[in-house]
Amino acid sequence: MNRTFRAVLLALFLTAIGLSIFVHKLTASGVPLLPNQSYNSWYVEAKVSLNSDDLGLGSEDEGETSTTVKFHLPLPSQRYEIAKEDFINEGFDRQVEYTKNNSDNRFAVFTQQETDSREFLFYRAIIQRKEGVAPGSEEVPISGRRLVDKQLVRFGENTERVKDNLNENLPTVEINALLNEAAKKSSDRLSLARNLYQLAVRPDDIRMQAIRRNLRKEESTVELVAFLLERAGVPARVGNGILLRSQEVYSTDFIQWLEVQQGDRWLAFDPVNLSFSEQNRYLTWWYGSDRVIQAEGANNIALEVVVQPNTDNGLTRAIWRRGRVPNPFLEYSFLRLPLSTQRVFQILVLIPIGALIISILHQMIGLQTFGTFTPILISLAFRQTGIFVGIPLFVFVVIIGLLFRGYLNRLQLLIVPRLAAILTATVLVIGILAILLESLDISLGLSVSLFPIVILAMTIERAAMRWEEAGPTDTIIAGIGTIVAAVIGYFCLINPYVEHWAFVFPELLLVVLALNILVGRYNGYKLIEYFRFRSLQRQLKQTEG
């Protein structure tokens, strides 16, 4: 049994396994073959980080080590419904509770008697847009606050202190003056709310400034107006939610809006056109002026929320069915990972496909490049920068690096310190470019974490070595080949079908592995060699003739 036969046998075996799992997912699990580009559902994941280390704040009860976390949960609305939700709260007891007032909030209470120094809680949900509801607008909201905030005070630590401060130092004169001024221009409770909002957005009104200081709500106009309406006897509440977009958002914003009760309905105020209507734009998370999360027994708390649109409605239905019909290929898949980890694997699974492309270009086409897999890493960088920015950036940095490398030759440095110097120069060049382009209001679109700065440094070194050994012509040909291979890989990696198949069907990477094995056994002419030796073949034929 020769090596080629064993290689073909192994390739067929890997292909059979990969295609078997692939067909099973399509038929038995209902996983869609093609991505659906309609955004009808979203993954929402919240990660709560708790730190119970003693920060020297003091405690009246040294022996109390229990931790209680109260976390608001999203609410169904006219536009959205919660199709599925689950928790990861290892070591904590969990109980979901409801409020029975005008807010109708849901919140999960996590308790733990003995807390470690570092704990994590996860909440994951699939949010589905209801059938027949048209997609909403995605314009930038008027107000909002960052969701990621490590200051415990932002999560409602001082709520009771604010109430005590109001009871002792209530600015009654300023409140009555504002209510009287707004009431003179109002005919009903909706117009009263509108006029109060217009008064509240005035930055130079000393009455509003005094009330804001007592409320400790200097940034929230919505909470200020809701407080004034309550003082006027008008039922009002503060809504808090997030805007579900067609693009992935890491650490999204909470949006606040004002709602006023009109009969048996709650109408939301739009500060743009000053109108009232039922709120159907945001995913409602909770009602009220308290924060999304409150904790006792933890000295530091951090909250991160990831919102990722799901373009595969069939995939969502397959995940829902998993709860009723267990399927190991869905239970143990990338879809079970946190969304932040999924983003990493969505890129990692593309690397073998790019490596296969480079293998074919090297082994069967004969394309010369700087390094074996340098082009595929540059292709991943182009996914962040785009080719119109990435190619000039790559060429410019390599040229500057070659000039710097030529100067270092005069110093005759050893290879390792020389590579370190080139790497430092590469980072400095990219940093200067980013600063200059930003000053010109030009976005570089550069993700430093993904752009292969080290690979650029190695590319500069290899280009310099090739220049010394083979001359400028061969170096330029290899540089062009590197860019061509990177562009080919870029257009393959940004294809939505390739991204979908590689991430949802990772078993197809076994087929990629099989193709790599077959390409590795190819020992015939390369395409470039065929054209190179074609003239020689003609001369041989003429000689034989």
Side-chain angles (χ1 to χ4, degrees), residues 28 37 127 193 262 310 328 346 349 375 417 516:
Q37 294 302 320
I127 308 299
Q262 181 75 356
N310 174 28
Q346 285 172 354
V349 293
N516 272 312

Side-chain angles (χ1 to χ4, degrees), residues 410-426:
R410 300 180 179 180
L411 303 178
Q412 297 191 359
L413 302 179
L414 298 177
I415 183 171
V416 175
R418 187 176 64 207
L419 283 175
I422 294 174
L423 175 63
T424 304
T426 303

Side-chain angles (χ1 to χ4, degrees), residues 108-252:
V109 179
F110 303 92
T111 57
Q112 186 183 51
Q113 294 301 320
E114 296 183 0
T115 307
D116 296 334
S117 60
R118 192 72 172 173
E119 295 283 356
F120 297 96
L121 301 172
F122 288 92
Y123 168 79
R124 302 181 66 183
I126 299 178
I127 308 299
Q128 177 80 16
R129 183 191 296 128
K130 293 183 178 179
E131 296 183 3
V133 177
S137 173
E138 291 191 8
E139 63 184 51
V140 179
I142 300 299
S143 61
R145 58 176 181 269
R146 296 298 300 171
L147 185 62
V148 177
D149 196 328
K150 295 184 177 181
Q151 298 181 15
L152 187 60
V153 65
R154 295 294 302 277
F155 297 127
E157 182 187 40
N158 293 328
T159 302
E160 296 298 328
R161 190 188 306 173
V162 171
K163 294 180 180 180
D164 295 339
N165 189 41
L166 285 176
N167 293 330
E168 297 176 1
N169 305 302
L170 186 64
T172 308
V173 177
E174 289 84 354
I175 293 174
N176 292 335
L178 287 171
L179 292 178
N180 292 333
E181 181 178 346
K184 292 178 181 179
K185 306 175 184 179
S186 307
S187 58
D188 55 12
R189 58 176 59 178
L190 297 183
S191 59
L192 176 62
R194 183 185 303 110
N195 292 325
L196 283 175
Y197 195 95
Q198 292 176 322
L199 289 173
V201 295
R202 294 180 180 177
D204 55 348
D205 194 317
I206 59 175
R207 299 169 299 179
M208 284 295 180
Q209 294 175 3
I211 300 175
R212 287 180 185 273
R213 287 193 298 269
N214 281 271
L215 281 176
R216 296 176 183 254
K217 305 293 184 184
E218 299 186 3
E219 297 180 358
S220 178
T221 301
V222 173
E223 295 180 6
L224 175 60
V225 176
F227 169 76
L228 293 175
L229 288 173
E230 291 177 357
R231 297 290 301 178
V234 177
R237 64 184 182 183
V238 177
N240 302 268
I242 58 176
L243 180 63
L244 300 180
R245 305 175 184 270
S246 59
Q247 297 179 350
E248 181 178 359
V249 178
Y250 185 76
S251 69
T252 183

Side-chain angles (χ1 to χ4, degrees), residues 469-482:
E469 296 173 358
T473 302
D474 190 73
T475 304
I476 294 175
I477 292 175
I480 295 174
T482 300

Side-chain angles (χ1 to χ4, degrees), residues 266-298:
W266 287 91
L267 301 180
F269 177 67
D270 188 343
V272 177
N273 54 26
L274 304 179
S275 63
F276 285 87
S277 62
E278 293 187 1
Q279 196 285 121
N280 60 359
R281 181 183 181 191
Y282 305 109
L283 170 66
T284 304
W285 203 284
W286 83 99
Y287 290 105
S289 299
D290 54 337
R291 299 308 179 191
V292 63
I293 184 171
Q294 302 175 55
E296 297 179 359

